Amino acid sequence: MVYRYVATCLFGLEALLGGEIDALGYKRTETLDGRIIFEGDETAAARANVRLRFAERLYLLCGIFNAVTFDELFENTKALPLEEFIDKTDEYPVSGHSIKSTLFSVPDCQRIIKKAASVRLGEKYALSVLPETGVRKKLEFFILKDRVMLMIELSGAPLHKRGYRPETVAAPLRETLAAALVATSRPRENVLLRDPFCGSGTIVIEGAMMMKNVSPGMKRSFAAEEFSLFPERIWKDARDEAHDLIVRDSAFEAFGSDIDENCVRIARESAMRAGVADAIDLRVMDALDISTEGRRGTVVTNPPYGERLLTEAECEKLYSEMGKQFKTLENWQFYILTPNERFPSLFGKRADKIKKLYNGMIPCFLYEFFKKQN
């Protein structure tokens, strides 16, 4: 049977996520800001959860319709074949979002969708009261410009939670964003990946996982594993497939360093849990002491913002000092994420490319410097 799925991502990562979905062999049917709809069989629930590196969550799409009144919301929800997705005893809490839509009250939309779903399921299962004592299936709505998507959440914990970073540090970088920064830098086996502000090591760990083809969801569980809709075997098959795809003889190397010894300790432990410690050199070091060490390299980093770690003035002084030191890295490329719009002038070099991304709720810019230094 062919199902429709929705994979969500951080704004700006749609192209990367779409490429992953294509590579898995599934058909994309629609791309929106922060989400992609695609078609796949029942195995897609497991394979996409285990393998997608840039997705935040995976959903099963129950239906799409337009609604500008609460009556339309009720009737169109009630018309969906929800019994195909929700069993007689399942718990089905409702949550969601409404953006630029006539029906802007999220609590009212929750109440009406819940009521409509209860009426539909009660009729189909011949029950006046549904017990909701079984498996929990989160029913989520997303209303954008009066267009309603009704979905069932399949991932459980967000997919950026790979499981290798239980202990974190101040201002951590989300794993999916770190993976996107690395992918944008076009990593290669013969080019060193270097993060001189590594914190808990997320960028270098994600880089090593990418180059060794370690699937991000191999070592975690998913909400949909409890759903009767999906056979138990598909989860084992998806993990076995991911395990067989690991590149075990990769020559890729990454160096991470930080001035904070505790950060480096956490990064080492996380790299071990991720299974990529053999590809990463982690050390305590001031970022301004970075050198080529006779290697070709690419710097991919997320320096302090002035939000929680340093003041804005201290950050701008650091950016200027970075520019002076990084000029010594002849022919290296730099990919630097920061919300500071003045970064290129402080760094002392014009960016070859600028991409807008979001680190949580903070709008940032990925400044790319890949032409030869002047």
Side-chain angles (χ1 to χ4, degrees):
M1 180 174 179
V2 176
Y3 294 104
R4 288 186 295 171
Y5 296 90
V6 180
T8 62
C9 63
L10 297 173
F11 291 125
L13 305 193
E14 295 86 359
L16 290 170
L17 176 57
E20 285 192 298
I21 292 169
D22 293 344
L24 286 175
Y26 302 124
K27 180 183 177 182
R28 284 187 276 168
T29 59
E30 188 172 359
T31 299
L32 304 165
D33 286 345
R35 61 189 59 220
I36 294 175
I37 302 173
F38 65 96
E39 294 178 345
D41 61 11
E42 61 188 17
T43 68
R47 295 181 73 233
N49 264 316
V50 169
R51 301 271 296 279
L52 292 179
R53 204 173 299 277
F54 306 109
E56 292 298 316
R57 290 185 183 275
L58 183 70
Y59 297 89
L60 186 63
L61 183 60
C62 301
I64 301 176
F65 55 83
N66 291 323
V68 295
T69 69
F70 289 127
D71 283 344
E72 286 181 327
L73 183 63
F74 179 91
E75 293 299 335
N76 288 332
T77 298
K78 183 173 174 289
L80 296 176
L82 297 177
E83 66 279 1
E84 294 180 5
F85 312 108
I86 300 173
D87 295 334
K88 179 164 48 176
T89 61
D90 287 344
E91 180 185 3
Y92 53 101
V94 177
S95 61
H97 305 276
S98 180
I99 302 171
K100 299 178 181 178
S101 297
T102 305
L103 303 178
F104 60 86
S105 172
V106 169
D108 285 335
C109 292
Q110 284 178 286
R111 177 178 53 81
I112 288 164
I113 289 173
K114 179 72 174 185
K115 182 179 179 181
S118 298
V119 170
R120 170 82 188 201
L121 295 170
E123 290 176 352
K124 293 298 178 179
Y125 294 126
L127 293 171
S128 57
V129 178
L130 293 158
E132 295 198 58
T133 55
V135 173
R136 182 181 174 88
K137 293 178 179 174
K138 291 178 65 178
L139 196 58
E140 186 161 322
F141 62 88
F142 178 69
I143 309 176
L144 176 64
K145 297 179 180 178
D146 301 326
R147 186 173 183 243
V148 183
M149 286 187 190
L150 199 60
M151 308 167 289
I152 293 175
E153 206 271 317
L154 301 180
S155 300
L159 293 178
H160 71 259
K161 295 188 175 182
R162 322 292 206 203
Y164 64 73
R165 195 176 70 175
E167 184 181 358
T168 189
V169 297
L173 185 69
R174 188 173 292 192
E175 293 88 335
T176 43
L177 181 55
L181 302 185
V182 173
T184 302
S185 76
R186 299 178 296 280
R188 287 150 285 171
E189 284 198 347
N190 62 340
V191 177
L192 179 68
L193 174 67
R194 188 77 164 81
D195 181 2
F197 299 94
C198 76
S200 57
T202 311
I203 287 174
V204 290
I205 291 170
E206 289 293 327
M209 289 177 67
M210 188 179 300
M211 293 301 290
K212 292 168 76 71
N213 203 25
V214 176
S215 294
M218 281 182 62
K219 297 181 179 180
R220 54 158 289 176
S221 60
F222 307 98
E225 290 186 71
E226 297 185 18
F227 296 2
S228 61
L229 189 64
F230 302 113
E232 185 177 344
R233 62 173 172 77
I234 70 170
W235 304 98
K236 182 181 185 302
D237 290 347
R239 292 187 176 97
D240 287 348
E241 178 188 32
H243 186 269
D244 291 343
L245 290 170
I246 295 174
V247 177
R248 305 189 185 278
D249 58 352
S250 172
F252 173 79
E253 287 184 277
F255 284 7
S257 58
D258 200 281
I259 202 168
D260 187 327
E261 186 175 351
N262 186 53
C263 287
V264 175
R265 176 188 63 80
I266 293 171
R268 286 175 179 150
E269 293 172 357
S270 296
M272 288 288 292
R273 282 188 289 266
V276 293
D278 61 326
I280 303 174
D281 182 321
L282 291 156
R283 57 184 77 169
V284 179
M285 179 180 173
D286 191 314
L288 300 180
D289 292 334
I290 187 173
S291 65
T292 66
E293 301 185 35
R295 304 283 299 273
R296 290 180 62 203
T298 298
V299 169
V300 181
T301 195
N302 173 225
Y305 289 174
E307 292 283 332
R308 282 175 280 178
L309 300 179
L310 297 174
T311 66
E312 185 174 348
E314 288 171 332
C315 283
E316 294 199 344
K317 182 175 183 292
L318 174 62
Y319 297 161
S320 178
E321 292 171 343
M322 283 170 57
K324 294 172 185 175
Q325 180 62 25
F326 285 16
K327 281 182 180 178
T328 68
L329 307 178
E330 187 176 359
N331 296 326
W332 278 40
Q333 299 178 350
F334 311 112
Y335 295 79
I336 301 171
L337 183 74
T338 172
N340 193 309
E341 296 184 40
R342 298 179 57 237
F343 181 83
S345 62
L346 294 164
F347 190 64
K349 181 172 170 59
R350 183 176 179 179
D352 295 300
K353 192 173 181 181
I354 303 172
K355 185 175 184 178
K356 190 169 184 179
L357 296 170
Y358 283 82
N359 187 5
M361 298 301 293
I362 303 172
C364 294
F365 302 93
L366 176 60
Y367 294 103
E368 304 177 27
F369 305 89
F370 43 77
K371 292 181 181 176
K372 186 175 180 179
Q373 297 280 331
N374 296 323

